[in-house]
Amino acid sequence: MFKTLKPLALGACLLASGHQVLAQSSNQVRQTGWSWSGHADHINIDKEAAAGQWIEDTAFAIGGTAEYYASDSENTLSLGASFIFYRDNAEFSQYVEDYWGDEDYEESDANAFMLFAEYGPKYRFGQDNMSFFSVRGGVSGIFGSERSISNCSDCYSEDIEIDGGVYGVLGIGQTLGAVDVSLQFQQYFSGDLDNTLRLKISGAF
């Protein structure tokens, strides 16, 4: 509970201060186009759901996002994908034969693929509008979530039943030259994920 409440309290403070700054930043310059980003996530999974699937309640993810922003709106649409790497507690091993007939003893890993979409405003403020914060709603789906041996078509595998869901996003960031660097907190309201902390680097190309 404390892990969730602390970032939410921080987000509320960011919102309050951000709206005050926005009132003083009426000269914001808006553009239209796409930005592209890469991100790294620390994911907290519901403890009961994780224990039932024999994985740890934290995971790591990397991915990318395409974000559309319009000149006549502060709202942005983000479409992205992530590869999730579970910390597995039920690994298995199996002899694997390669194309040339050589056998080797391989261990399984536990991974998943996530697709997500987010929508909401992104506000710029500060000197030359180089700082920004965002408030968004999002939804994610997790696919191909399994425990298996990589690059093996006939090996044993097990499904890992972890679901995405609906979540809210609070983020703050800074423009550094041609790129934006931001830190985002995602709080899930449904599914098996608890929350996510994301480091994101983006730029328009």
Side-chain angles (χ1 to χ4, degrees), residues 160-174:
I160 298 177
E161 300 293 340
I162 297 294
D163 296 326
V166 176
Y167 60 91
V169 182
L170 294 174
I172 189 165
Q174 181 73 27

Side-chain angles (χ1 to χ4, degrees), residues 11-148:
C13 293
L14 290 175
L15 283 173
S17 61
H19 280 296
Q20 291 177 354
V21 175
L22 285 173
Q24 304 171 2
S25 301
S26 58
N27 62 337
Q28 177 178 344
V29 178
R30 298 178 185 169
Q31 298 176 342
T32 300
W34 287 90
S35 67
W36 310 89
S37 68
H39 59 260
D41 299 348
H42 175 83
I43 302 173
N44 290 312
I45 306 170
D46 176 80
K47 292 182 181 296
E48 185 175 344
Q53 299 301 310
W54 295 92
I55 57 175
E56 293 291 324
D57 60 0
T58 61
F60 175 73
I62 57 174
T65 306
E67 181 174 283
Y68 181 75
Y69 50 96
S71 60
D72 59 349
S73 175
E74 292 168 334
N75 292 319
T76 59
L77 173 65
S78 296
L79 303 173
S82 296
F83 291 97
I84 301 174
F85 304 93
Y86 298 118
R87 298 167 58 200
D88 197 11
N89 292 325
E91 296 177 347
F92 64 88
S93 300
Q94 184 176 344
Y95 277 107
V96 176
E97 183 177 322
D98 64 20
Y99 179 79
W100 294 276
D102 297 325
E103 288 190 350
D104 199 4
Y105 201 56
E106 299 288 346
E107 293 185 349
S108 67
D109 47 33
N111 304 312
F113 181 67
M114 174 190 285
L115 294 176
F116 61 87
E118 299 173 3
Y119 184 77
K122 179 179 180 180
Y123 300 114
R124 287 195 170 272
F125 63 92
Q127 185 177 4
D128 298 324
N129 287 326
M130 300 295 279
S131 301
F132 59 89
F133 75 95
S134 56
V135 184
R136 297 176 180 170
V139 61
S140 68
I142 297 178
F143 307 93
S145 181
E146 64 178 13
R147 178 181 294 111
S148 63

